[in-house]
Amino acid sequence: MKIVTVLGARPQFIKAGPVSREIRKNHEEIIIHTGQHYDANMSDIFFTELNIPKPDYHLNVGSGSHGVQTANMLIQIEEILLKETPDYVLVYGDTNSTLAGSLAASKLHIPIVHVEAGLRSFNKKMPEEVNRILTDHVSSFLFCPSDTSVNNLKEENITKHVYNVGDVMYDAVRYNQDIADKSTILTDIGAASKDYYLITVHRAENTEDRERIENILAAFSQIEGTKVWPIHPRTKNKLLSYGIDLDKIPGLKVIEPIGYLDMLCLEKNAKKILTDSGGVQKEAYFVQTPCVTLRDETEWIETLKDNANVLVGANTEKILEAVQLTCDSDYPPIFGSGNTSEQIVKILSDNQ
Ligand code: UD1
Ligand code: UDP
């Protein structure tokens, strides 16, 4: 079995860690890195620390508008697929790299494997929602992380080769947790276990809307104690363009984006996580740290039980209230048992 994997953004490198390892036990994999994320701490660091095989092709598309970025990827991916003639093209999640990979493959009639299929926010203003709907509708194998995502597909009449296999991010956490426990990040940044909040913000809906980001920052200013924020380059650039100075927020430690192992360590030791990230919401659940989600909706509705995750949008008061809530969750396992990658590769190989 020959699989071409298309990836390009930070969360996709992390998801590829366990899946690529599993594919390569008995099959051939060619990796195309679109170059959507390119800073060393948004890309290379993950390949090195997670031992992900070096990409066979690097498209270097870089940043740009949705049209320019996706079109540049599409042109180059098509050429490579014609040359490599794989049995499957595998894509992860909902980024522009996902859409480019699936569009290129669908026109060449190469079966598409969508990992993290069926997720819906029901908000089509999100670029991710459009990317994932289009990808699901041209995919031949749809690997869902939850019953909710299977049902979402059913609602859209997608039922063939739909599998609930759990979440590959859980595989990644299980594989890396012990290594992450040895991280020295807490000492490096001068934070103490369970004595800080961990923050990440990067969604277009928050960063591109000045009022929303200002409301979020107003809450951060009023939350007492240490707050650690590995800042996404998109957010850093946007705040600079708004003329907003984060130094004015008391107790805030802004750091550059960090590697996955340091991130897992920070997530596990935080007293609470405030985020608009999809991946970080799930990881908060996996490491059992209560989460406050800075969005109006979430695809990961299972995590919302017993205050394990609380949806607050960009509302200052709601954020402050949620930070005070106690979490009563016993964190039942809801995204599989950590063998998702194995199941994916077995199903693909059995269906050849
Ligand atoms: C993308 C995905 C989003 C995902 C996120 C993960 C789309 C539409 N969005 O959002 O779903 O949650 O990745 O992090 O695909 N930049 C750099 N260096 C980099 C990468 C980005 O400086 O290495 C800056 C550039 O100014 C760029 C901006 O970040 O314009 C946005 O990058 P882009 O990849 O377009 O979107 P993300 O916000 O990263
Ligand atoms: N992450 C990381 N370093 C950071 C911030 C996030 O390694 O500085 C990891 C995080 O642990 C998770 C993934 O990146 O595995 C989430 O990616 P992101 O928030 O960029 O995108 P999303 O999941 O929202 O698409």
Side-chain angles (χ1 to χ4, degrees):
M1 181 164 76
K2 178 173 177 178
I3 297 178
V4 165
T5 297
V6 179
L7 36 70
R10 173 168 69 186
Q12 296 169 329
F13 310 139
I14 291 156
K15 290 164 197 170
V19 179
S20 288
R21 197 177 312 119
E22 193 59 36
I23 292 173
R24 285 164 192 250
K25 284 184 183 164
N26 291 304
H27 306 282
E28 186 186 357
E29 185 189 35
I30 303 286
I31 294 183
I32 303 178
H33 185 328
T34 63
Q36 177 170 351
H37 286 175
Y38 45 86
D39 291 345
N41 57 16
M42 293 294 288
S43 175
D44 291 0
I45 188 169
F46 302 103
F47 285 84
T48 312
E49 70 175 359
L50 301 178
N51 258 324
I52 304 163
K54 223 169 120 48
D56 299 272
Y57 297 92
H58 202 302
L59 311 185
N60 290 309
V61 296
S63 304
S65 68
H66 289 281
V68 166
Q69 193 179 53
T70 313
N72 277 337
M73 293 174 191
L74 190 54
I75 294 167
Q76 297 188 65
I77 295 170
E78 181 179 63
E79 217 171 281
I80 297 166
L81 295 183
L82 284 168
K83 184 171 144 218
E84 294 289 350
T85 61
D87 299 304
Y88 297 111
V89 168
L90 188 150
V91 293
Y92 295 98
D94 52 23
T95 71
N96 288 347
S97 299
T98 316
L99 180 64
S102 54
L103 273 183
S106 72
K107 300 294 179 85
L108 298 174
H109 306 143
I110 304 170
I112 297 153
V113 177
H114 189 199
V115 175
E116 214 175 68
L119 273 293
R120 295 290 181 269
S121 65
F122 303 101
N123 173 3
K124 283 209 185 128
K125 286 202 173 136
M126 287 179 73
E128 293 85 0
E129 183 76 352
V130 176
N131 290 343
R132 56 171 92 102
I133 291 174
L134 295 176
T135 298
D136 282 339
H137 281 260
V138 291
S139 289
S140 298
F141 286 85
L142 298 103
F143 291 112
C144 299
S146 60
D147 288 337
T148 310
S149 40
V150 171
N151 287 333
N152 288 339
L153 292 177
K154 210 182 277 171
E155 290 292 316
E156 295 171 24
N157 291 321
I158 304 174
T159 52
K160 203 173 160 207
H161 288 311
V162 172
Y163 305 90
N164 179 353
V165 288
D167 199 309
V168 287
M169 289 192 102
Y170 188 44
D171 291 21
V173 168
R174 278 175 50 120
Y175 189 85
N176 290 293
Q177 188 70 76
D178 289 349
I179 314 170
D181 284 343
K182 299 194 182 86
S183 157
T184 58
I185 181 95
L186 288 183
T187 324
D188 298 347
I189 63 170
S193 182
K194 297 296 162 189
D195 193 33
Y196 64 90
Y197 298 95
L198 175 65
I199 293 172
T200 81
V201 182
H202 75 276
R203 291 277 167 196
E205 73 215 54
N206 285 330
T207 56
E208 305 307 295
D209 183 330
R210 187 164 180 162
E211 197 183 328
R212 282 183 72 98
I213 196 71
E214 283 185 344
N215 289 344
I216 291 170
L217 296 177
F220 295 168
S221 298
Q222 293 172 62
I223 296 171
E224 279 175 28
T226 306
K227 290 144 283 190
V228 180
W229 186 356
I231 198 163
H232 191 291
R234 171 187 207 116
T235 315
K236 187 178 180 180
N237 296 341
K238 216 59 217 183
L239 293 179
L240 261 176
S241 78
Y242 294 148
I244 293 175
D245 182 4
L246 293 178
D247 287 345
K248 295 203 176 109
I249 300 184
L252 185 65
K253 285 180 195 284
V254 177
I255 57 176
E256 288 297 307
I258 50 179
Y260 177 68
L261 299 172
D262 285 342
M263 187 64 183
L264 269 188
C265 179
L266 280 188
E267 287 172 344
K268 189 173 167 189
N269 287 287
K271 63 178 163 189
K272 230 164 219 177
I273 297 175
L274 294 96
T275 189
D276 62 6
S277 158
V280 176
Q281 282 176 70
K282 279 184 290 175
E283 286 166 356
Y285 191 91
F286 299 148
V287 300
Q288 309 199 352
T289 299
C291 186
V292 176
T293 293
L294 308 165
R295 290 186 46 200
D296 297 328
E297 67 282 306
T298 179
E299 298 80 11
W300 305 103
I301 53 172
E302 296 84 354
T303 60
L304 295 175
K305 228 174 142 274
D306 304 328
N307 295 340
N309 187 11
V310 183
L311 261 187
V312 291
N315 181 306
T316 310
E317 292 313 314
K318 282 192 182 165
I319 298 171
L320 293 172
E321 276 165 30
V323 163
Q324 297 304 328
L325 288 174
T326 52
C327 167
D328 308 318
S329 185
D330 55 0
Y331 291 93
I334 48 180
F335 295 120
S337 46
N339 66 350
T340 298
S341 317
E342 232 175 283
Q343 292 185 62
I344 291 173
V345 176
K346 181 165 186 327
I347 291 167
L348 292 179
S349 144
D350 288 352
N351 276 282
Q352 256 226 298

